[in-house]
Amino acid sequence: MRRILILLFLLLAVPAAAAELKLATWNIAWLTLKPTGHPGLPRNVEARTPADFQLLRAYASRLAADVVALQEIDGEEAAARIFDPAHWTIHLTDEADIQRPGFAIRRTLRVTPQPDLRALDLHPRARFSLRRGADILVEAPGGARLRLLSVHLDAGCREDPFGGDSSRDCQQLERQARILAQWAAARAREGVGFAILGDFNRRMTDSDDFLTILEEAAPLARPTRGLSSPCWADSRGGRPFVSHFLLGGEARDWLVPDSLAVMVYAERARRYRQTLSDHCPMSIRLNLP
């Protein structure tokens, strides 16, 4: 009996293993079931074929993530063509836009949807608006909480500085940066680990105006720092990242070092930039206590 009790005490003394979470982001450009020529689509967007959807689904399976932040998704039915509803829950922003942010989440995870970050959509009544942020809370078996915000921000200000004489796109992106800073500051006050991830349409350096605004609200880890993306790289090499993971709170310490990965498509013909996407899936791994 004494040996059994000693063994039980030893087992209780061993800390529970961290739960590893593979977190990905993927802008699946114009993922829609609408036909070519639909009035809601730009004229140059062509409908995907069943073979295209099958290929995308194969890449989603190979990605093998636990949570995928999505961008440019035209409803749950379109997302279900890529992520089997038997294994995935789809959460998208509650808006009518064709290009909606959201998440595909493994059904094995405990996730609570949060209200959309509506303020990010600076022009909600425009035909192609600036899109809300999709917000969820992930709870690990050990009790750790991770708040995730999937975003797709204003395009047209990839690296220019902010300021009073900047372009309209840069002024709008600056407004969105300040809205995200408020969201990050609220998560810091809440004491929860968090990540803002998705398509920022922004190349970031350590002194970048966009990043400076966010880091005034909360210190952030950026796994893409100092790296270039191999997605659709050519003979000139990789391109600057415009999609990113920004980790705050305890999530900065949960990042597995050097875990950033970009899944490059095997198909190289130019037409695949539309039938697959002009963005490649990218992922990191977190160890949640």
Side-chain angles (χ1 to χ4, degrees):
M1 179 62 71
R2 183 181 178 188
R3 289 180 179 178
I4 293 174
L5 289 173
I6 292 173
L7 179 59
L8 286 173
F9 283 129
L10 288 174
L11 289 173
L12 290 171
V14 176
E20 184 170 282
L21 182 81
K22 187 173 184 181
L23 184 60
T25 185
W26 190 8
N27 181 331
I28 312 179
W30 294 102
L31 185 67
T32 181
L33 303 181
K34 290 179 171 61
T36 302
H38 188 282
L41 297 174
R43 294 180 180 178
N44 63 338
V45 173
E46 297 183 4
R48 287 183 171 91
T49 67
D52 296 331
F53 281 107
Q54 185 176 6
L55 192 54
L56 283 167
R57 189 164 178 153
Y59 276 109
S61 177
R62 179 181 162 196
L63 182 61
D66 298 299
V67 179
V68 185
L70 302 171
Q71 298 87 45
E72 299 199 23
I73 310 299
D74 185 16
E76 293 185 11
E77 188 177 356
R81 291 288 188 95
I82 313 299
F83 298 93
D84 185 350
H87 305 291
W88 296 88
T89 298
I90 303 299
H91 171 73
L92 303 175
T93 52
D94 184 19
E95 54 189 330
D97 293 45
I98 293 175
Q99 291 189 332
R100 293 159 64 185
F103 292 94
I105 308 147
R106 292 277 184 190
R107 288 193 175 274
T108 52
L109 286 175
R110 183 177 179 182
V111 173
T112 305
Q114 306 295 308
D116 294 345
L117 185 56
R118 300 168 65 99
L120 274 183
D121 189 352
L122 304 178
H123 307 293
R125 297 184 180 180
R127 183 188 178 197
F128 300 118
S129 73
L130 291 183
R131 299 166 291 262
R132 303 177 183 180
D135 193 342
I136 61 173
L137 174 66
V138 179
E139 297 181 68
R145 298 184 303 152
L146 176 65
R147 193 80 173 263
L148 300 176
L149 186 69
S150 174
V151 301
H152 186 187
L153 303 183
D154 188 306
C157 186
R158 293 294 176 97
E159 56 191 359
D160 293 336
F162 295 161
D165 59 348
S166 61
S167 68
R168 179 174 181 266
D169 284 313
C170 287
Q171 291 177 26
Q172 292 185 157
L173 188 62
E174 180 178 1
R175 288 175 61 190
Q176 289 184 316
R178 297 193 185 283
I179 291 164
L180 291 175
Q182 292 173 358
W183 185 90
R187 304 290 76 76
R189 291 193 299 269
E190 187 182 354
V192 62
F194 66 89
I196 306 172
L197 65 165
D199 185 356
F200 291 77
N201 276 312
R202 182 75 175 180
R203 301 165 181 170
M204 296 186 193
T205 63
D206 290 347
S207 59
D208 181 67
D209 285 350
F210 180 96
L211 194 60
T212 298
I213 290 172
L214 267 70
E215 291 193 318
E216 287 175 353
L220 299 171
R222 177 169 49 98
T224 53
R225 180 184 181 188
L227 302 175
S228 59
S229 172
C231 185
W232 298 113
D234 54 25
S235 59
R236 294 170 294 180
R239 301 183 299 169
F241 280 101
V242 294
S243 291
H244 301 275
F245 302 87
L246 301 181
L247 305 172
E250 291 182 305
R252 290 177 297 153
D253 301 322
W254 298 342
L255 176 66
V256 176
D258 302 320
S259 63
L260 176 70
V262 178
M263 181 177 290
V264 177
Y265 305 116
E267 294 75 20
R268 303 302 300 166
R270 187 170 184 82
R271 69 181 184 88
Y272 285 107
R273 293 197 183 196
Q274 178 172 315
T275 57
L276 289 173
S277 177
D278 56 340
H279 296 259
C280 298
M282 47 192 288
S283 63
I284 58 174
R285 289 181 288 119
L286 305 176
N287 276 328
L288 277 66

